[in-house]
Amino acid sequence: MEKVKCEPCKVRNRNNVSIHWCVICEESLCSDCTENHRSMKISRNHELIDINRMPIQTNIADQCCFKHDNLPFEYFCIDHDVLSCKECLAESHRSCQKVMSVDIACKGAKQSQSFIDATELVDHVLETTHTIGKDEQDFIENIVKAKANSVKTAVRIVKEEAIRHIEALEKSLLHDLDLKKDKIIQKSKTTIKETEDIKKSTKNKQDIFDLVNKHGSEKQAFIAVHAYKQDLTDLEKRVTGITEKSTRFTINLNPQKLKESIHSIGSIELSEVPSNVKFVQKKKCQSQMPIVQAQSMPQFVYKQDLDTKTVEIYGMTINDNNEVILVDNSGLGRILVYDDNDNFKYQIETKHQPWDIALIPGKNLGVLTSEHEEVLQFVDFDRKKISRTVSIKESRQTGVAVLNKNIYVGTKGNINILDLEGRFIRSIKLKNEKVDTLVYDSG
């Protein structure tokens, strides 16, 4: 890291190197200025950190309005959930009823839902970009090794039928393989490069939020959330764009009828399949201060009935493809799946009488509690079967919910928290031990 000059010394035309950085004042300090800073009443309680930990973007609380010649943000409009300078206030918020000073609005910002959402979004984007990069790198290795080798093996099998004619064609075919392989590898490298760029930008924001969370003021937390709101939204959209557009190519030999046409032994063809990485968007960031507006009751339009007269429905949910998933408790128990037009698609037989169901975000998997057994059943919708079963004490006839990283299973007087593999993490004990806990997925 380059040596940072002391900012108070610069004003006095001195050339001293900084050793600390004040999080509140957002300026670097040499040893002498550090002692003065710690001795003055107005700054003695400020947080000073090592200069090497100074963030790249140091003007957190000094974010200004780009529209009006970098005027400082002095107001916050609750009606529009935006920061405002004096000019913005006069132009766009003159009729707004809920406008207040940033110094007042920022109270409790570090504990606000908006700040928590921003930090969670930064972590989520970083985690997803890391997963995308690793997945693309693994894919490249697989293309270079496994897929290329499978094509060469297929070529050797064909050569046994017409060894005299395919020697020259083999060279041409492998050349075509290399061209297509290089093309799809380059596509993955481009994706890796883009994710690294997103990761770098997101890491900068993470450093800022971590710094503000640990050492900064409420004002810095408040302004950081709203000043970087659009940046975080753009980062989220970029990651979503990558995962939605990301595809996979498979390399296979497409052999033609060798005996009918000896002029070619086949061609290298590419087919695209969706990427393994899914980016589940976080909920939209909430306003720090809730705005309650009078609203009329929503209007609902009747569409049609789903005939369930012959089954006993104990649980129900809807997946990302708008498929309706029903837990049928009749007979030995099963899971019924309907498409978005309410047409029956398939069913999955359960190993234990089912009760409640929840889906694991971003995966085509679900978890299922039982009516009579103390177990948790994992449902694989791709393979259309119960993949495995985990024992959970006192979990009969209780609810289940799943978030991004944990499974929550109700038991008698407790909520058990598991990881996504079903391994126990901890338990939340309730005051009334006689109550059978029911946990519902909040969506």
Side-chain angles (χ1 to χ4, degrees):
M1 180 178 180
E2 295 183 2
K3 293 182 179 180
V4 180
K5 302 301 181 182
C6 175
E7 294 181 40
C9 289
K10 285 181 182 179
V11 178
R12 295 175 287 179
N13 295 321
R14 297 179 182 177
N15 192 24
N16 292 328
V17 177
S18 300
I19 61 172
H20 288 100
W21 190 72
C22 178
V23 177
I24 305 301
C25 297
E26 296 184 348
E27 66 177 1
S28 54
L29 305 168
C30 65
S31 58
D32 291 338
C33 291
T34 296
E35 293 301 320
N36 293 334
H37 208 73
R38 286 171 172 165
S39 62
M40 290 189 294
K41 183 177 181 179
I42 194 172
S43 60
R44 65 179 59 164
N45 294 322
H46 287 189
E47 183 75 20
L48 300 181
I49 63 174
D50 188 275
I51 194 65
N52 293 322
R53 294 172 57 199
M54 181 179 73
I56 296 176
Q57 291 176 294
T58 58
N59 58 337
I60 301 171
D62 293 331
Q63 289 290 317
C64 297
C65 179
F66 298 110
K67 183 178 178 181
H68 298 107
D69 298 326
N70 289 327
L71 287 178
F73 288 125
E74 299 181 36
Y75 303 97
F76 179 70
C77 177
I78 300 176
D79 292 336
H80 292 94
D81 193 30
V82 293
L83 296 167
S84 173
C85 69
K86 290 181 179 179
E87 292 295 326
C88 288
L89 186 66
E91 291 179 4
S92 306
H93 306 283
R94 185 175 300 173
S95 61
C96 295
Q97 300 298 317
K98 297 179 181 179
V99 178
M100 63 177 61
S101 167
V102 166
D103 293 325
I104 296 176
C106 73
K107 302 300 183 183
K110 290 175 68 174
Q111 286 75 43
S112 69
Q113 188 61 46
S114 56
F115 186 76
I116 294 172
D117 288 342
T119 55
E120 287 181 350
L121 176 56
V122 168
D123 293 337
H124 190 42
V125 171
L126 286 174
E127 181 181 346
T128 305
T129 52
H130 173 75
T131 303
I132 292 173
K134 185 178 183 302
D135 184 65
E136 294 292 344
Q137 192 61 49
D138 293 342
F139 174 67
I140 290 175
E141 294 177 1
N142 185 49
I143 285 293
V144 172
K145 297 178 181 178
K147 295 299 182 180
N149 290 336
S150 67
V151 172
K152 293 177 182 178
T153 300
V155 171
R156 286 197 298 270
I157 294 175
V158 176
K159 284 173 61 177
E160 294 177 359
E161 299 181 16
I163 191 64
R164 294 181 180 179
H165 293 84
I166 65 174
E167 292 293 341
L169 297 175
E170 179 187 9
K171 183 177 180 180
S172 175
L173 184 65
L174 293 180
H175 177 68
D176 187 20
L177 168 65
D178 289 337
L179 292 178
K180 288 184 170 60
K181 180 182 67 178
D182 292 340
K183 179 180 179 181
I184 60 178
I185 288 176
Q186 185 60 43
K187 181 177 180 294
S188 289
K189 287 183 177 180
T190 301
T191 301
I192 291 175
K193 183 178 180 181
E194 184 175 358
T195 55
E196 288 295 328
D197 180 61
I198 298 174
K199 185 175 181 181
K200 181 179 178 182
S201 299
T202 308
K203 186 63 171 64
N204 291 338
K205 299 300 182 296
Q206 184 186 49
D207 291 341
I208 293 172
F209 283 114
D210 285 346
L211 181 67
V212 172
N213 190 28
K214 295 177 182 177
H215 309 291
S217 66
E218 300 294 346
K219 181 177 180 180
Q220 289 172 317
F222 183 85
I223 290 183
V225 169
H226 292 278
Y228 299 129
K229 182 190 300 181
Q230 186 60 47
D231 291 344
L232 295 178
T233 300
D234 293 342
L235 289 171
E236 186 176 22
K237 289 181 179 178
R238 290 176 66 187
V239 177
T240 303
I242 292 176
T243 56
E244 289 179 348
K245 297 177 181 178
S246 180
T247 57
R248 286 284 181 270
F249 290 94
T250 58
I251 300 180
N252 297 291
L253 180 67
N254 182 25
Q256 300 174 357
K257 293 183 179 181
L258 184 62
K259 295 181 180 180
E260 296 179 3
S261 176
I262 203 65
H263 300 291
S264 173
I265 61 173
S267 61
I268 302 298
E269 294 188 351
L270 305 179
S271 59
E272 294 184 85
V273 296
S275 171
N276 294 327
V277 181
K278 300 294 182 184
F279 182 69
V280 182
Q281 289 189 342
K282 291 283 187 179
K283 62 182 180 181
K284 293 187 179 295
C285 293
Q286 302 175 1
S287 172
Q288 179 175 337
M289 299 182 180
I291 303 171
V292 180
Q293 298 178 345
Q295 295 181 351
S296 60
M297 291 297 291
Q299 300 295 316
F300 296 93
V301 178
Y302 170 78
K303 182 181 177 183
Q304 64 184 78
D305 289 329
L306 181 62
D307 185 9
T308 59
K309 294 180 181 179
T310 60
V311 299
E312 298 179 15
I313 303 302
Y314 276 44
M316 180 179 70
T317 186
I318 298 176
N319 64 16
D320 294 338
N321 298 323
N322 289 327
E323 295 175 331
V324 179
I325 300 173
L326 304 178
V327 177
D328 177 17
N329 192 263
S330 61
L332 296 176
R334 57 184 177 168
I335 298 171
L336 306 176
V337 180
Y338 295 79
D339 63 18
D340 56 357
N341 293 317
D342 298 337
N343 298 314
F344 176 75
K345 293 186 66 177
Y346 62 88
Q347 70 179 31
I348 301 174
E349 302 293 335
T350 60
K351 295 183 178 180
H352 303 280
Q353 203 79 25
W355 186 263
D356 191 23
I357 189 170
L359 302 181
I360 299 178
K363 300 181 180 180
N364 204 16
L365 302 173
V367 287
L368 191 69
T369 55
S370 175
E371 180 180 12
H372 304 299
E373 306 295 332
E374 297 179 340
V375 297
L376 188 68
Q377 303 176 80
F378 283 77
V379 187
D380 188 333
F381 289 97
D382 289 329
R383 299 167 62 188
K384 298 179 177 57
K385 61 181 293 188
I386 301 296
S387 59
R388 55 197 176 87
T389 303
V390 177
S391 297
I392 306 291
K393 291 184 178 180
E394 299 183 333
S395 62
R396 296 187 299 271
Q397 298 184 10
T398 57
V400 59
V402 184
L403 297 180
N404 285 334
K405 295 183 180 180
N406 298 112
I407 301 173
Y408 299 81
V409 183
T411 61
K412 187 177 290 297
N414 296 279
I415 298 175
N416 286 341
I417 302 178
L418 318 174
D419 64 16
L420 296 184
E421 298 297 323
R423 293 185 288 264
F424 179 81
I425 298 176
R426 61 188 177 91
S427 179
I428 301 176
K429 190 173 183 61
L430 303 181
K431 293 183 179 180
N432 191 343
E433 296 183 357
K434 296 182 180 180
V435 175
D436 287 339
T437 308
L438 290 179
V439 180
Y440 295 98
D441 190 350
S442 61

